[in-house]
Amino acid sequence: MKNGLGARIGQGLASFLPQTVCRAFANRLSEENPQLLLEALGPRLNRAPSLDSMAFDLPVNGPLQFEDLAGLFASTSLDHGVIAMTVRQTAYLFGLVRRMNARKVIEIGRYKGGSTLTIAAAMNGQGQFWSIDIGEKEARLHQRGVTRSFDDEIRDICARFGLPVTLLVGDSRTIEVETGEVDLVFIDGDHTYDGVRNDFERFGRRVRIGGAVLFDDACDEVMFRTHSESVGKLLREIVAEPSFRLVKSVNRLAHLERVS
């Protein structure tokens, strides 16, 4: 059942059934599959965190370090935080960009900008960084009215710390951007098979030999729903090629290296 249809059926039943029946159903669901409840409740209870409200617990003196980014993360299972990736995934992304000394990076999908800030901070103000997002998720999940957009917040925080990033708004299927060969591509946009294949073919193949392509939500993880049927399927197809090898998977994140 498609998510949209399921949501409409759920809304209809919730408005029709007595509260006692709904409560009994929720209680039973919490016993049978509590993760489903967490996935439904988390976004509704706490969509507020953004880069504007992100806390810096330690004074920032000099370049941003990974410990300065702790405010990006959720503190509980019901808190989405600014970034949806786990601490391990984010630390891996940050560390890889920094250790590769990546100077040309492409990001597909940025939403609130947690991964964007992570990559920009790891690059430490050096090189060129292109971030592509169509803005669909913000428009669908947030009624922000005349308030600042997430891109406004990203621009401000990156400017505050001297971190250059080019924020491109458009469909990654059709947007044109000249980058030449790059060091790293982070893909976390359209999670359909056709969508993620497009992002890999158009942008992932721009990485140099020795460069990295990272896919979020590519690997199954206990208690977390991933996109193994789409992103994971493409990952397996790419690894079967002679040009790429799987270096490591960290939680839901997969790291490929171009070898030829």
Side-chain angles (χ1 to χ4, degrees), residues 82-255:
V82 179
I83 195 169
M85 292 195 299
T86 66
V87 174
R88 282 188 63 203
Q89 288 175 260
T90 312
Y92 190 85
L93 175 62
F94 182 95
L96 182 64
V97 171
R98 181 155 287 186
R99 294 181 186 193
M100 286 180 63
N101 195 31
R103 289 296 175 262
K104 296 183 75 175
V105 176
I106 301 171
E107 174 188 45
I108 311 295
R110 61 177 172 267
Y111 189 28
K112 292 184 178 181
S115 57
T116 311
L117 179 60
T118 297
I119 294 169
M123 293 178 72
N124 195 22
Q126 304 298 311
Q128 295 175 282
F129 176 24
W130 299 269
S131 177
I132 301 169
D133 193 279
I134 198 171
E136 179 275 335
K137 194 170 184 179
E138 178 175 358
R140 174 167 50 89
L141 296 179
H142 301 269
Q143 284 73 47
R144 292 169 68 85
V146 296
T147 60
R148 288 154 46 77
S149 69
F150 291 138
D151 279 1
D152 289 335
E153 298 183 17
I154 297 167
R155 289 188 189 93
D156 283 356
I157 198 167
C158 286
R160 173 181 170 189
F161 293 106
L163 306 174
V165 55
T166 300
L167 301 182
L168 300 171
V169 179
D171 190 339
S172 61
R173 295 172 185 263
T174 56
I175 193 170
E176 296 294 337
V177 51
E178 293 296 329
T179 64
E181 194 174 63
V182 301
D183 299 308
L184 183 144
V185 176
F186 176 60
I187 299 176
D188 187 23
D190 184 347
H191 281 40
T192 65
Y193 175 79
D194 289 340
V196 73
R197 171 168 281 283
N198 165 83
D199 291 340
F200 174 71
E201 294 294 341
R202 294 198 72 213
F203 299 101
R205 291 195 184 275
R206 299 187 189 192
V207 297
R208 60 173 172 78
I209 293 177
V213 180
L214 291 94
F215 292 92
D216 191 21
D217 294 317
C219 310
D220 286 325
E221 187 183 14
V222 177
M223 292 295 287
F224 284 93
R225 182 173 57 191
T226 64
H227 295 266
S228 58
E229 78 290 348
S230 53
V231 184
K233 177 184 176 182
L234 178 64
L235 177 68
R236 293 187 291 273
E237 292 173 356
I238 298 170
V239 172
E241 298 180 9
S243 299
F244 289 87
R245 72 178 184 95
L246 178 63
V247 176
K248 189 177 182 66
S249 60
V250 177
N251 296 146
R252 305 182 300 276
L253 185 73
H255 170 196

